[in-house]
Amino acid sequence: MRFELPDGSAREVAVRYALNAGYAGRDTAEVRRHVDELAALGVPAPSRVPALYPLSASLVGRPGTVQVGHGQTSGEAEWALVVTPDDYLLTVACDHTDRALEVHGVAWSKQSAPDVLGDLAWRLAEIEDELDGFTLRAWVRREEREELIQDGTLGQLLPPAYWIKELGERLVPGTVLLSGTIPMIAGVDQFGDGWRVELTDPRGVSSRISYTVEELAPAWD
């Protein structure tokens, strides 16, 4: 994948491995409440918090359209750490997830839809001290009308440094790690026909994602 950098240069990275973090908020009490809320909806609780889900590297990309099997899927605004041979890059990400499959297993639901990455990335070493000031927002689209569904900062999530320390040599070049997500705004319908996500630094520079959700025709069986 090719990423533009704020200084006008570009980096290309061959994605080899993908990891999705979950339940990765810094507020442990809020994470526990979220686990309990999902359990009440039938979503199995993780065996440990934060959780980590390996998935196929083929699911990481930048599609303009995400094709799904039914109408119960939605995105999640996140950051993504991209490991290169000599440093780390940080970009915006959207973990599209099958909510109907999620009740049978979160790991299965992660394998059913793509991780979409942004167009611009920052060198982590250059922005690490100001990450908590980055804003993360997402909009869900229905019939050409967008509605803000997530609005927060990276200060709500465990930082890249946590995962770099915990995973160590597992973060080989070509690995993409997604952060887990921030809460959705209460009362907003998460199911729509498109998603847009932005990660913005304190200077106003943004990494962006925008894609359409296409529901496929029913199977013949």
Side-chain angles (χ1 to χ4, degrees):
M1 297 187 70
R2 179 182 173 90
F3 297 94
E4 302 296 327
L5 274 61
D7 63 9
S9 63
R11 297 288 296 275
E12 291 192 1
V13 180
V15 178
R16 298 172 56 203
Y17 301 101
L19 301 168
N20 279 18
Y23 310 99
R26 292 193 203 178
D27 185 336
T28 55
E30 181 61 34
V31 170
R32 177 49 56 189
R33 283 193 293 271
H34 182 54
V35 171
D36 293 343
E37 288 170 354
L38 291 176
L41 298 174
V43 178
S47 58
R48 61 172 292 179
V49 172
L52 191 68
Y53 305 99
L55 69 160
S56 171
S58 64
L59 295 173
V60 178
R62 202 175 282 136
T65 299
V66 170
Q67 294 180 320
V68 299
H70 55 81
Q72 301 295 301
T73 74
S74 64
E76 294 182 349
E78 311 195 5
W79 56 252
L81 184 70
V82 182
V83 185
T84 79
D86 45 24
D87 62 3
Y88 300 99
L89 303 178
L90 193 86
T91 190
V92 70
C94 192
D95 172 17
H96 204 82
T97 301
D98 187 320
R99 303 302 179 187
L101 187 57
E102 198 170 38
V103 301
H104 301 287
V106 174
W108 290 353
S109 70
K110 298 294 184 185
Q111 297 283 353
S112 66
D115 284 346
V116 186
L117 300 191
D119 54 353
L120 178 141
W122 295 263
R123 294 183 181 92
L124 180 63
E126 296 178 356
I127 47 94
E128 197 161 14
D129 292 341
E130 55 187 20
L131 280 179
D132 286 2
F134 277 58
T135 59
L136 182 61
R137 296 186 176 97
W139 295 260
V140 62
R141 185 174 67 247
R142 282 178 294 276
E143 298 179 353
E144 300 185 357
R145 181 177 179 181
E146 288 188 335
E147 186 172 8
L148 183 69
I149 188 169
Q150 291 179 284
D151 187 1
T153 72
L154 296 199
Q156 295 172 258
L157 298 167
L158 292 172
Y162 170 88
W163 294 105
I164 292 170
K165 179 181 178 181
E166 289 294 314
L167 297 178
E169 295 180 357
R170 188 170 178 180
L171 293 178
V172 299
T175 301
V176 173
L177 166 72
L178 268 67
S179 64
T181 194
I182 59 176
M184 291 190 180
I185 297 172
V188 178
D189 184 357
Q190 64 182 296
F191 304 124
D193 55 25
W195 273 73
R196 181 165 65 90
V197 185
E198 289 186 357
L199 178 64
T200 304
D201 72 17
R203 290 168 295 281
V205 177
S206 295
S207 182
R208 298 179 173 91
I209 291 168
S210 180
Y211 61 87
T212 297
V213 178
E214 179 185 3
E215 188 172 344
L216 299 174
W220 288 13
D221 57 10

